[in-house]
Each structure stands twice: as C-alpha cells, then as structure tokens.
Amino acid sequence: MKLLKPTWVNHNGKPIFSVDIHPDGTKFATGGQGQDSGKVVIWNMSPVLQEDDEKDENIPKMLCQMDNHLACVNCVRWSNSGMYLASGGDDKLIMVWKRATYIGPSTVFGSSGKLANVEQWRCVSILRNHSGDVMDVAWSPHDAWLASCSVDNTVVIWNAVKFPEILATLRGHSGLVKGLTWDPVGKYIASQADDRSLKVWRTLDWQLETSITKPFDECGGTTHVLRLSWSPDGHYLVSAHAMNNSGPTAQIIEREGWKTNMDFVGHRKAVTVVKFNPKIFKKKQKNGSSAKPSCPYCCCAVGSKDRSLSVWLTCLKRPLVVIHELFDKSIMDISWTLNGLGILVCSMDGSVAFLDFSQDELGDPLSEEEKSRIHQSTYGKSLAIMTEAQLSTAVIENPEMLKYQRRQQQQQLDQKSAPAREPGSAASVAGVVNGESLEDIRKNLLKKQVETRTADGRRRITPLCIAQLDTGVNATSTPAALSPSVLTTPSKIEPMKAFDSRFTERSKATPGAPVLTSMTPTAIERLKEQNLVKDLRPRDLLETSSDSDEKVPLAKPSSLSKRKLELEVETVEKKKKGRPRKDARLMPVALSVQSPAALTAEKEAMCLSAAALALKLPVPGPQRAFTLQVSSDPSMYIEVENEVTAVGGVKLSRLKCNREGKEWETVLTSRILTAAGSCDVVCVACEKRMLSVFSTCGRRLLPPILLPSPISTLHCTGSYVMALTAAATLSVWDVHRQVVVVKEESLHSILTGSDMTVSQILLTQHGIPVMNLSDGKAYCFNPSLSTWNLVSDKQDSLALCADFRSSLPSQDAMLCSGPLAIIQGRTSNSGRQAARLFSVPHVVQQETTLAYLENQVAAALTLQSSHEYRHWLLLYARYLVNEGFEYRLREICKDLLGPVHYSTGSQWESTVVGLRKRELLKELLPVIGQNIRFQRLFTECQEQLDILRDK
Amino acid sequence: MAKVSVLNVAVLENPSPFHSPFRFEISFECSEALADDLEWKIIYVGSAESEEFDQILDSVLVGPVPAGRHMFVFQADAPNPSLIPETDAVGVTVVLITCTYHGQEFIRVGYYVNNEYPNPELRENPPLKPDFSQLQRNILASNPRVTRFHINWDNNTDRPEAIENQDPNLACGLPLSYTPIKGLGLPGYIPGLLPENSMDCM
C-alpha cells in the first residue's frame, strides 16, 4: 500500500466535507466551505496518481471550481454514468452539474484564486425542496433517481430523468438525516439519522421497509455526517456511528432479515463514514496452489472522528490496515476508484489523502459480468442482455447494418463533439467571434455596442454575444492508467489488535462473504407465499367482486411479509360477507333488485309474450321528457318529449335533434324510452320493442325494427347501431351498408354468475361491441369468428408483472389512446411497478412480459384499433429484440413481409387493420438493427423489401 | 442557481482624473434566455459614514439577453463633487456595481477607490477645500469584492422558497440598502444573508 497527501488539493484551508472520484477515474470532485460561499472543485486525478504529472506545470491540477452554492457544500456525488455531478449544501439546495464546452476557460470572478477553469461545468438543474441543510446525496445504481437527505428530517427522491420532478418524500425520521445509500440492485435505499435510527425504504412503493434502532440507542447526535454504505453484492449494509458496549462501532446489517449481529469495532470515536469498494474480490490464485474456488468477498473503508481510517476485507476478522494520525480533524468522506484499488479520503482539516493498494493486498476483482451474474443469481435482476463487452466480439456481416450502427455512433459523436479543449492548452484566453479576435472586439466595444432609449427615457444596452452556450459533453478525456508511483508515507501504518470484527455463530459457520448462501431456501419460501396469496392484490380489493373461479397462481413477487398477506386475505373475506355492495357504477340486476322498470315490464307483458328470460337486464322506464348530449364538439344533442301532441285522441312523441345549431324534429307514435346518436345516425327505441333509425338530418332510414325483447341499452358509433335487450341479447347493425354485424348474440356465455352485470358498453369505430363487466373483465364480440373474446381483465396478473419499460421509445409513449386504452384504463403504471420487483426470476418476468404484450397485440387486432395495434406491435417487437427472442421475431417479420414472389395460392393479406404490413416492417427494421445478434434477420428483411420495392 | 453569473469586470482607463467617466467592461454568462432586461447600476459611496452621500452614477437596462456569454461597456459620469463631504473627498472610498433582475439584486461588485493628489506637493499639503480637478481616482481593480444573492429568477412570484435566503430589503428594490457593508472592510459578506453553517465542533 502506498499513501500520499497531495497538499495542493485544498480549499485554502477551509474544511473539505466531501470527495468523490469520477467513474472514469480521470478526475475527482471535492465539496466544502469556500470564501463566504460553498465550494465545489473538480481536480485532475493524474497528478495524484503520477509524480511526473504532479511536477509537470502544463498539466493542470484544478479543472474547475464552482462557487455557486451560497453556503457550505456537504456532499458531491458523480452519477454512475459520469455525466453529472450532484452537490448538496447548507443552502438547502442540490445542484446538478454537467460538463459544457465553451470557447476558452473562465475564472470565478471575484474569487481570490486567479486560476482559470480548464473544464467548464455548468449547473443544469437546481433542486429546491428541502427546508434545511442538505447533508448527503446519492444516485441510484442506474442513475434514474437521485436521493437527497437533509436536516429537515426528510429524504427526497428526485426523478433524475426529469429534474426537478420529485418522485417521493420519505418521512419518518425524527432527527437530522445525515447519510444515504442505495442497495446495489435498486430495491432499497437506506438512510441514517441523528434520531438514533437507520431506516430502509423500499423503492417499490417508497415505504418504510424497516427501522433499525437498537445499535444506535447509546449514540449521541454530534457527528457531522453519517455516511453509511451498502456492499456491492447487496448482502450487507454498514452503518456509520453505532455503539456497542459504549464503544463506537460501524454496525453490519444483513439484508436477510435485517439482522444486526456483527459490527466493525476499534475506532475510538464515532464512525463518520463507511464506504464499500465497488468491486467484489476473490482470493488471488497463487500459482501452484490448488485451484479450489474461494468465496468472493467485499472490501470496506471506515473513517472516524478519531481521525483514523481502517480498511476491512469481509473475509478477514481483522482490518487489513489501520492508519492513524492521517489528519488533524475528523474524516468526512471516502471515495474508491472504480478499479477498487485506490481511495481518496477527505477531512474537516481541509486536506485529502490518497491510498493506493495492490491486487496482492486486496485480491482479484471480479469482472462486471461476474458481478452482475452474482446479482442476477441472487436477486434475479434483469440487467442488459448484451453488454458492450460482449457486443464488441460480434462481427458485423452486413454493410447496411454497419451503416446503421455507424449512423448511431455518429449521432452520439455529434452530440459529443464541440470545440474540445484539451486541458493544459488554457493559455490563450482570447476566443474568436466571427473571425474577429476577442481583443479587437474589446477595443471597439464601446463604439460598437448598441444603445437605445426605452420609452421612459432610460438607457438600454444590447450586450454583445461572445459565445453560444453548448452543453455538449467533451469526451476527450481518456481514463488514466493507474500506475504505481513513488508516494510518500508520512504517517505510521500498523495493523491494530483492538480492531476486530465480532462475528456471530451464524456467520462463523460461513466465513468470508456469504455471497451465495441462501438462495434456494428463499426461492422455495417465495413460491409458498405465492400459492398462498393467489391473486389477491391489494390494489384490486376495492373494485373486485372476485367471483372468478379461475384463480391463476400469481407470479407476483411479494416483498410483503407473510403476516401482512394473511391480513389481506382476511380483508377480502370480510368484503365478501358484506355483500351486496352498493356501487353506483354498476347497474342493479333486475333479478335480485326491484328496478323502477319492473312496472313497465308488467305493462308490456303482452309484448314480451312467452319470451323465457333466463337473463334480464334493466330496461329504461318511460319518462315525460329527456335530453341527451351526443357530443360536445361538434355540439349535438337530442331532446325527447313524450305524449306531447294529441291528434284525434292519439298521443304522439316528439324527437328533436340539434346539431351545431341546425335543428330537426320528427314525431313517433309511441313513447320513446331511450335514444342514442352519433355523427352519422340518430336512433331511438320506443315502447313495443320498436327501434327507429334516422339520418343526421332527420330522415328515417329504415322502417321500425322489431326487437326480440325490450331495449336495455342503445348505442351508436359512426353508422353502427348497437342494441342490447333486456333478454341479454346483443345486435349490431351497419345502417348505411344495411348489413348485420352481430345478430342477436346472447350474453349468456359472458354473464356467468348471478350478480354479474354489464358495467360499461363500448362500440368501436369498426362496429365491434365491447362489454365491460362488473368483475373487471371486458369482452369484445368478434363478428368474423362469432366469438366473445376476452380483451381486458383488471385482475390480469400478467399486466402487473410485465416489465417492458426498457422497450418503450420514450416516457410518454405509454399513452396511446384508442378503444383498448379506454377499456383497460390506466394499467400503464403496473409495468413500472414490476420493474422494481427484482425478486422475480428473470425468466418468469420475461415470460409474463411476452405473454402480456402478445395479449395486447391480439386484443388491439381484434378490436381493429390500428393505432393501438401498431403501438403494441412495435413495443412487442422491441421487447423481442432487447431480450433476444429470435423465433417469434422472425415469425412476425415473415408475416409482415409476405410472399416476395406473387403466387395465386397465397392467402397473404397485404394489410392488417388498415395498415400496410410492409410499411410496418420498415418501421420495425431500425428496431431490429439495434441488436447485432439479429443482423441476419435484418439483412434478409431489408433485401427482400428492396426486391419488392424494385418491382 | 443564478441564471446570470458575472465572468469578469474589467476596469478601463484606470487610474484617471476625478472628473473622467467611469468605464467598466462587464462580461457575464446567462444560462437561460431572460424574459426581461437586467438593470445595472454604478453607485459611488461618497462617505463611508453615511449612505446619504451615496450617488447612483447611472443605471442602464441590458437586454435582450439570450443564453450565452455576453459583454458590454458600462460608462457613467463621475460623481458630483458637491454631494461629497469635503472631509471624505480625499482618501479611500468605494464604488459599487450592482445588477438586479425584476428588482432583485443578485450580484454586487465592490471596488476600493483611492482618490489622491498625484502632485506630491498637494499630497503633502492638501488644500482645505478639496480641489477635485487635481484629484486622481485609482480603482483597486485587482481586488473586487463580489457578493452574490439568491433571487427568484422565475416570473411567478408565488415561490417563496426561491427567495427565502434573500434579505427582504433587497427584494423591495431599494437601491441603497447595503447598510451592512458599511463600516469598511467592504466585506463581500452580509451576515444576515448567509445561513449559519451548522458544522459541529470536534
């Protein structure tokens, strides 16, 4: 191990509260107190790593400093991508910084240091919400969320994709929250506060998972920060300041059951910061020794108020190294390099130390693939199927594919390109504007500048623009190789006896990091839970009358405890007993409830004749008069007045229709029970089972239709008229073409169960009737097959488990309007939830997602909703591409392409729901091109499309 | 985060005779196009003892301001000698450049100004009544004192959190409300403006 204190890393003697190394290892940021403001400084890493670079005056040490925080900066953190830097401070703000490329470097005006900023980092977002000092910030493992905690006792989760949107505010701490850490697989976030508790929150619903207080009972609240850390394998959470037998410790909390049996002891004062090495290590294989695989282990650095630093390996009971007297004041923050071999430590005394380890000391780091394999096998998390490293070995066979990939790269490059300025060439300050040097401009500025007078006689100067802003990322920096250099060792290094981690019985049984210990038992337990839960989901409890017998065992992963699940079962049973429920949305059932229509029904007994009604839907009673709004834009309404005019003792009913001011009216001989209209037709159902249809101008289109039984519901869409009768038969006619679409189809098959009712009726633009039933299912009638098809089910477990977020083209793409969306309502959130349920095995999630997407495609097709069909088909294809399902993708492409050479026997239709299949295929091609694995398919499709085009 | 940050203020023609105009070349950067103009002011502090001797030398509107880096020269006439107390005419005083947006001051740049007779004789035996025509103004350009204030940059005024760090006096747009920086030292620090740092003791 080598140790170095680069004295040039300082805030002019002011405390440094935070340090963080950029993921590419070329720079690091410090945050702390500046001259009457907060200060963030970005430093060059290479002078720390290499002595030659440190001495070379052409290599800048400080890259950028930002004095924008109004008060002390408590935390700086790079996003995992390295694109952003977040800083939080006593001014209650979080600032998010991004690299910008400008003409020329800049100085912070008015700051005592006159050093030019070599790199330009610009604040792109400012996050205001906390009402007190921000103590810690943390990016989630995939940079989707940014968490911040504050002395206002809250933790705020920001949507990092859409700043400054707040996703959640985690309330529950009763003291200043001083540290945050994300679970490496993204399921939890943990916070530690002065209220002597450490809380773990679920990212699924942002609710409290557990609160751990016991190890903190004896703690006093005098530590400036409590930076806790989660191990990279996800198994352990290590707290900052905890107490055990009046001695300060860092408490080890096991993910499994949140047990607190172990701790790191030995520091004489409170532990301020714990930081796990991002790498997982395995024992260095000594040549000649038996090649038995050893358990992987983690490495952790602990800093304390006692000014000392200890580094631990989870496979050892003693610390690897303890360094005393490294600083004059408390250690405030620690950051590991991404390769896991170096750490930067900062202190309240305003200095920074760098420690450099060798692989002999720490072990062999696992590769990222091995690490993600551990995550996947333990937590079933679905990571990107093909990583960059795997891709690089694939050979691109098709020039078109190559072109496509190149174009993509070019686009990325374009975004990045900009006048890239190499660090070190900062000498020339003068930029050039329109070929004129800045110096020339300055000479004549006063003469040149445009000055006008405002209406009230004030001088107004139009400033001269000398540079456009551009936030393009300067991508010129390349990771500096970490090479050993001569480092000074100013402080004593000794392994210390007092340092000892106390292990319990359980952990003694599995020495080393028990990375892969208890996977199978949990899985079994989980399965048991699933069977127990069946499909009782809290979400649906309120709207379900759950009569369906086909309870599919849900693949729903449950992070809830068993006890909670049992509670839910009880709730459901209570609900069942409490029937009949009063739900205004559902129509009362004629059989069990006396409806006002009963009287009418008696009156019309002769009309009903001997119709044996197995099912009876409610019928509307006659009203004196009623008005019906058909549409608001164009404004159209129907007015009905019954028994108004008497001509020779015969009472007539009047029907009036007003469409954008144009009015027509007509009379009918019997009382009108119900009316419906669309922009093409108006229809009314009268007593004596008569149905009349009029054109938009009031012309009668057909002689009255005699319905088989009294009308229950009447509906019009376009030129389609749908009539649902009291006997639960359904008919749909196209009155313009004068054809029947659905002929007296019985609802028997879908209205099973005694209290099932139709809650909503929909008739699509294509004349497809859809029945939404009270049990949350929706069926549409498929006229070509004469079948009822299930198109939506509120209790659909697939919808809840499907995770296809990664296949969505953009955030808003979720919203696709159409009949399917109307029927299914907002189910779009469910997929998002599923994404957070990492405990589902990846394979199961894939299957459910596929099944769900296929359901959607088929449903959209049956509903003949072309817009939605296209939406779901593209989504489905994108998912197939992302997850690498070749056969299904090939089948889709084959169907869309059709036969290239015309043959008479071909059954192939060139369009589907009004969309040209080959056009759809063209849309699919770029999607397919995203995965090199499908390059052959891409080539085939493209060639054949070209052939077809040439024809 | 301020939408406008001042990159540099260059003091032109310095030192210069007392009666010559002030000239500052100001470059600033704007992160987002501004809906309204910026208002810049030059304030000459006639006497360190009282702000009643402050003179606003000039104020200009600067706009339109799109995103980017901009520069302009702000020229203002010399202070009116008759408004300066005779005892304060010679010696060190202060000139301030302030910028406000929507009446809220977000930056204040202060320079020490030394007025003295270049003529050694006059320096030794200054006339009782100051001879302004002989005085030379020397702005201590190398040491600007910059104070930044957090203001509400958005149009909607119903966001109190954005201006909570701000001295209410400043929000009212009172031009001469910098009492705290009197008593010389001209610190770029106004105690009431910055929240206490809650750092704990070791």
Side-chain angles (χ1 to χ4, degrees), chain A residues 520-534 553-556 562 841 844:
Chain A
T520 21
T522 4
I524 291 165
E525 205 174 276
R526 204 174 286 140
L527 270 175
K528 276 186 201 158
E529 279 182 12
Q530 283 163 10
N531 288 331
L532 192 138
V533 192
K534 302 255 177 174
L554 251 199
K556 189 205 171 220
K562 245 183 196 170
V844 176

Side-chain angles (χ1 to χ4, degrees), chain A residues 66 83 159 169 311 377 520 576 672 693 697 753 758 791 885 904:
Chain A
M66 297 91 99
M83 185 102 84
N159 182 353
T169 304
V311 179
S377 62
T520 21
K576 278 186 179 169
I672 298 167
V693 183
C697 296
V758 178
V791 287
F885 288 99
T904 43

Side-chain angles (χ1 to χ4, degrees), chain A residues 90 126 222 458-460, chain B residues 1 37 39 58-59 197 200:
Chain A
D90 284 356
I126 181 151
T222 54
R458 300 193 55 189
R459 284 168 66 196
R460 184 179 193 241
Chain B
M1 161 78 184
D37 290 352
E39 184 179 10
D58 204 348
S59 90
N197 185 1
D200 64 335

Side-chain angles (χ1 to χ4, degrees), chain A residues 100-106 120 122 419 429-434 436 438 441 463-471, chain B residues 7 27-32 65-71:
Chain A
T101 46
Y102 287 165
I103 300 172
S106 71
Q120 308 299 327
R122 220 155 58 78
V429 179
V432 172
V433 182
N434 299 332
E436 214 177 349
L438 205 55
I441 293 171
L464 181 78
C465 184
I466 52 173
Q468 300 289 330
L469 280 198
D470 112 65
T471 41
Chain B
L7 301 171
S27 32
F28 63 94
E29 179 184 290
C30 178
S31 59
E32 245 177 273
V65 185
R69 284 187 174 189
H70 311 276
M71 67 196 294

Side-chain angles (χ1 to χ4, degrees), chain A residues 404 874 877-879 881-882 923-931:
Chain A
Y404 180 76
L874 285 175
R878 214 172 278 129
Y879 188 76
V881 170
N882 287 352
E923 279 190 76
L924 275 185
L925 272 184
V927 176
I928 297 169
Q930 274 163 12
N931 194 339

Side-chain angles (χ1 to χ4, degrees), chain A residues 174-350:
Chain A
S174 56
L176 325 181
V177 191
K178 291 180 170 177
L180 283 175
T181 184
W182 290 92
D183 161 21
V185 292
K187 198 174 169 189
Y188 301 110
I189 179 170
S191 58
Q192 192 175 351
D194 266 354
D195 61 3
R196 295 171 194 177
S197 79
L198 183 156
K199 296 190 194 295
V200 181
W201 314 80
R202 291 185 294 268
T203 58
L204 168 67
D205 52 4
W206 304 114
Q207 295 301 308
L208 188 67
E209 165 79 16
T210 184
S211 179
I212 295 153
T213 55
K214 204 163 156 268
F216 311 105
D217 284 345
E218 304 170 54
C219 293
T222 54
T223 338
H224 190 276
V225 288
L226 297 166
R227 303 200 205 272
L228 62 172
S229 182
W230 214 303
S231 66
D233 59 18
H235 277 288
Y236 296 107
L237 170 63
V238 177
S239 80
H241 187 34
M243 294 291 267
N244 191 346
N245 271 332
S246 350
T249 63
Q251 184 66 47
I252 301 170
I253 297 150
E254 288 171 61
R255 187 196 193 92
E256 200 63 49
W258 309 114
K259 287 194 281 283
T260 55
N261 296 325
M262 298 178 275
D263 47 18
F264 292 129
V265 291
H267 280 288
R268 283 158 305 173
K269 285 185 181 173
V271 170
T272 47
V273 48
V274 175
K275 201 59 158 295
F276 268 99
N277 191 314
K279 291 284 182 195
I280 301 172
F281 292 91
K282 60 177 186 284
K283 273 259 157 42
K284 192 137 184 90
Q285 292 290 334
K286 295 206 176 65
N287 37 351
S289 71
S290 62
K292 71 164 193 217
S294 63
C295 242
Y297 54 88
C298 299
C299 172
C300 179
V302 179
S304 158
K305 241 170 130 170
D306 67 7
R307 301 174 289 145
S308 64
L309 176 85
S310 56
V311 179
W312 305 71
L313 299 179
T314 50
C315 60
L316 299 175
K317 289 186 183 179
R318 296 272 169 83
L320 183 73
V321 64
V322 181
I323 305 165
H324 288 292
E325 323 248 320
L326 194 54
F327 298 105
D328 295 335
K329 284 183 178 174
S330 166
I331 291 176
M332 298 308 291
D333 203 1
I334 298 171
S335 177
W336 286 90
T337 56
L338 203 62
N339 68 7
L341 293 176
I343 47 174
L344 273 171
V345 189
C346 74
S347 161
M348 186 90 104
D349 70 8

